[in-house]
């Protein structure tokens, strides 16, 4: 089933539209192209961002200011023309910034960095053009769509997609790859209650990405044709354990991932700094988006929001998780939300969000 916006409609400037690709779409694409491992292309560059030490408050604040905030100011450098179906290119600075933003969030989660693959970036650029030209998102653009190309189809069927942005602060360009990364990590809206975009960016099998932008759209290719071959053994919570920038707290939508874990009977308990229970609502479990994940809505209390300069530790326990082999375990960690920016946040939160979910 495919749900999509009306072709030809323009995404309102006050909305951010995201779409996370499911493994079902990748399986379809794999029938069309050879399922082979994509080796990192010559010239592919890794971001210098490395993992942040868990619990290191000073390092978390320093890296937010010195790494992430500058990335949000870099324009796309889009050289194409949507009306003329010219995909153009983006600046190398923007491509590098998008990679650095992905590696920044992966570093917070204690995951290894990834590299850019030039061929996948060309597919992502062609995909971003299709989304902008048609004013809608789909992981399977039809051949009669404006600006359709095979490269664009391949990028769309293997990537996270975004279209449209809320009005940002004056210092922030309207649409950039790094801002798309933050939108994917927040994953707001009822249609994204499974946090599919976040799961792909935090996937333990992720080794390389491709990225492309127009002035209003972004595609980040995240899925290799042989995605089933990539497995990991780490627990990945978001927000991550230890000190965590409160500017990146995903509006109460928290998650925990583990490869092939069964979260269907899991229970979640959250407590604030004084031991007071935080209300939790677990979202429906959905597979097919990177590692198996449980996603829940945390009703952080007014005391958290009314004191933005005060560190706010939250202890989380997820119990009743069944691992491959049948063992049932629980995980407990503490995330301390800290103010990381020294001034007004440069993050422009989405005014709204929709996801196009394709199932086969």
């Amino acid at each position: 089933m495919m749900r999509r916006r009306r072709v030809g409609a323009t995404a309102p400037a006050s909305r951010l539209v995201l779409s996370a690709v499911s493994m079902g779409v990748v399986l379809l694409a794999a029938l069309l192209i050879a399922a082979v491992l994509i080796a990192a292309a010559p010239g592919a560059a890794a971001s210098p961002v490395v993992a942040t030490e868990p619990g290191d408050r000073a390092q978390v604040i320093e890296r937010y200011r010195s790494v992430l905030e500058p990335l949000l100011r870099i324009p796309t450098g889009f050289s194409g023309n949507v009306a003329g179906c010219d995909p153009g290119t983006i600046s190398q600075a923007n491509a590098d910034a998008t990679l650095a933003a992905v590696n920044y969030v992966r570093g917070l989660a204690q995951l290894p960095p990834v590299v850019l693959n030039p061929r996948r970036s060309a597919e992502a650029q062609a995909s971003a053009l299709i989304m902008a030209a048609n004013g809608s998102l789909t992981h399977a653009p039809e051949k009669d769509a404006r600006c359709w190309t095979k490269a664009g189809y391949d990028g769309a069927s293997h990537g996270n997609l975004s279209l449209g942005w809320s009005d940002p602060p004056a210092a922030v360009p309207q649409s950039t790859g790094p801002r798309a990364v933050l939108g994917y990590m927040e994953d707001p809206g009822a249609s994204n209650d499974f946090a599919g975009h976040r799961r792909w960016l935090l996937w333990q099998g992720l080794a390389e990405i491709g990225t492309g932008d127009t002035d209003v759209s972004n595609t980040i290719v995240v899925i290799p044709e042989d995605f089933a071959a990539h497995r990991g053994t780490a627990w990945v919570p978001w927000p991550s354990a230890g000190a965590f920038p409160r500017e990146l707290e995903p509006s109460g939508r928290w998650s925990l991932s583990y490869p092939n874990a069964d979260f269907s009977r899991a229970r979640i308990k959250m407590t604030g700094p004084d031991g007071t229970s935080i209300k939790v609502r677990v979202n429906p479990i959905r597979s097919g988006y990177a590692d198996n994940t449980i996603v829940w809505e945390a009703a952080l209390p007014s005391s958290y929001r009314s004191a933005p300069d005060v560190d706010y530790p939250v202890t989380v326990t997820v119990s009743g998780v069944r691992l491959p082999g049948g063992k049932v375990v629980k995980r407990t960690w503490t995330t301390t939300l800290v103010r990381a920016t020294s001034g007004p946040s440069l993050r422009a939160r989405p005014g709204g969000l929709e996801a196009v979910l394709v199932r086969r």
Side-chain angles (χ1 to χ4, degrees), residues 222-239:
V222 290
I223 309 173
E225 285 88 344
D226 72 329
F227 60 85
H230 296 288
R231 296 299 177 196
T233 57
W235 294 87
V236 181
W238 192 263

Side-chain angles (χ1 to χ4, degrees), residues 149-163:
T149 59
K150 178 61 164 58
Y153 179 93
D154 289 344
S157 63
H158 288 74
N160 284 347
L161 312 175
S162 68
L163 178 67

Side-chain angles (χ1 to χ4, degrees), residues 129-190:
L129 173 67
I130 294 174
M131 305 309 144
N134 292 276
S136 61
L137 297 180
T138 173
H139 293 293
E142 298 175 359
K143 288 187 176 181
D144 61 355
R146 292 195 65 239
C147 305
W148 188 95
T149 59
K150 178 61 164 58
Y153 179 93
D154 289 344
S157 63
H158 288 74
N160 284 347
L161 312 175
S162 68
L163 178 67
W165 295 95
S166 60
D167 293 334
V172 183
Q174 271 283 33
S175 177
T176 69
R179 288 190 60 223
V181 170
L182 298 191
Y184 296 140
M185 294 305 296
E186 183 167 354
D187 247 355

Side-chain angles (χ1 to χ4, degrees), residues 24-112:
V25 178
V26 179
L27 287 172
L28 175 65
L31 295 176
L32 303 175
I33 55 181
V36 295
L37 175 64
I38 302 175
S47 163
V49 178
V50 295
T52 300
E53 288 297 324
D56 191 328
R57 182 181 185 278
Q59 188 182 72
V60 165
I61 294 173
E62 190 278 330
R63 287 190 175 172
Y64 182 91
R65 296 178 183 180
S66 66
V67 176
L68 183 62
E69 285 190 336
L71 300 178
L72 301 177
R73 296 185 174 95
I74 297 175
T76 63
F78 174 55
S79 67
N81 183 287
V82 174
C85 287
D86 174 11
T89 61
I90 56 175
S91 69
Q92 189 61 49
N94 180 43
D96 291 343
T98 304
L99 176 66
V102 171
N103 284 334
Y104 170 82
V105 298
R106 287 179 64 84
L108 280 175
Q110 301 297 296
L111 294 171

Side-chain angles (χ1 to χ4, degrees), residues 5 14 19 51 67 83 88 109 111-112 129 162 166 171 197 216 220 250 252 259 277 306:
R5 293 170 60 90
S14 62
S19 183
V67 176
L111 294 171
L129 173 67
S162 68
S166 60
H197 311 90
V216 297
I220 296 181
S277 178
S306 63

Side-chain angles (χ1 to χ4, degrees), residues 79-360:
S79 67
N81 183 287
V82 174
C85 287
D86 174 11
T89 61
I90 56 175
S91 69
Q92 189 61 49
N94 180 43
D96 291 343
T98 304
L99 176 66
V102 171
N103 284 334
Y104 170 82
V105 298
R106 287 179 64 84
L108 280 175
Q110 301 297 296
L111 294 171
V114 298
V115 300
L116 280 176
N117 181 306
R119 180 173 70 83
R120 304 316 293 269
S121 288
E123 294 171 352
Q125 188 64 34
S127 168
L129 173 67
I130 294 174
M131 305 309 144
N134 292 276
S136 61
L137 297 180
T138 173
H139 293 293
E142 298 175 359
K143 288 187 176 181
D144 61 355
R146 292 195 65 239
C147 305
W148 188 95
T149 59
K150 178 61 164 58
Y153 179 93
D154 289 344
S157 63
H158 288 74
N160 284 347
L161 312 175
S162 68
L163 178 67
W165 295 95
S166 60
D167 293 334
V172 183
Q174 271 283 33
S175 177
T176 69
R179 288 190 60 223
V181 170
L182 298 191
Y184 296 140
M185 294 305 296
E186 183 167 354
D187 247 355
S191 59
N192 289 296
D193 62 1
F194 54 95
H197 311 90
R198 178 193 304 170
R199 289 159 65 171
W200 283 121
L201 293 183
L202 297 182
W203 181 37
Q204 295 181 58
L206 192 63
E208 59 185 20
I209 63 170
T211 185
D213 296 276
T214 68
D215 289 333
V216 297
S217 59
N218 168 267
T219 294
I220 296 181
V221 174
V222 290
I223 309 173
E225 285 88 344
D226 72 329
F227 60 85
H230 296 288
R231 296 299 177 196
T233 57
W235 294 87
V236 181
W238 192 263
S240 53
F244 186 88
R246 68 160 57 213
E247 292 84 355
L248 301 184
E249 193 282 316
S251 301
R253 180 159 290 169
W254 293 41
S255 61
L256 176 66
S257 301
Y258 190 85
N260 295 321
D262 179 359
F263 290 103
S264 61
R265 297 186 179 181
R267 299 175 301 279
I268 298 171
K269 179 181 179 181
M270 296 180 71
T271 56
D274 56 359
T276 302
S277 178
I278 296 173
K279 291 183 179 180
V280 169
R281 175 173 56 83
V282 178
N283 293 338
I285 303 293
R286 296 197 196 182
S287 59
Y289 296 84
D291 291 325
N292 287 0
T293 299
I294 187 170
V295 184
W296 65 95
E297 310 296 335
L300 296 177
S302 58
S303 58
Y304 160 70
R305 306 188 188 284
S306 63
D309 295 323
V310 177
D311 291 2
Y312 193 87
V314 177
T315 299
V316 184
T317 297
V318 180
S319 59
V321 182
R322 186 175 297 276
L323 301 181
K327 184 178 180 180
V328 178
V329 301
K330 73 176 181 179
R331 300 291 296 182
T332 298
W333 70 94
T334 297
T335 296
T336 300
L337 300 169
V338 302
R339 179 181 172 89
T341 185
S342 58
S345 175
L346 292 179
R347 178 186 180 188
R349 288 179 177 269
L353 184 148
E354 297 176 11
V356 181
L357 177 60
V358 182
R359 290 178 176 174
R360 301 292 179 183

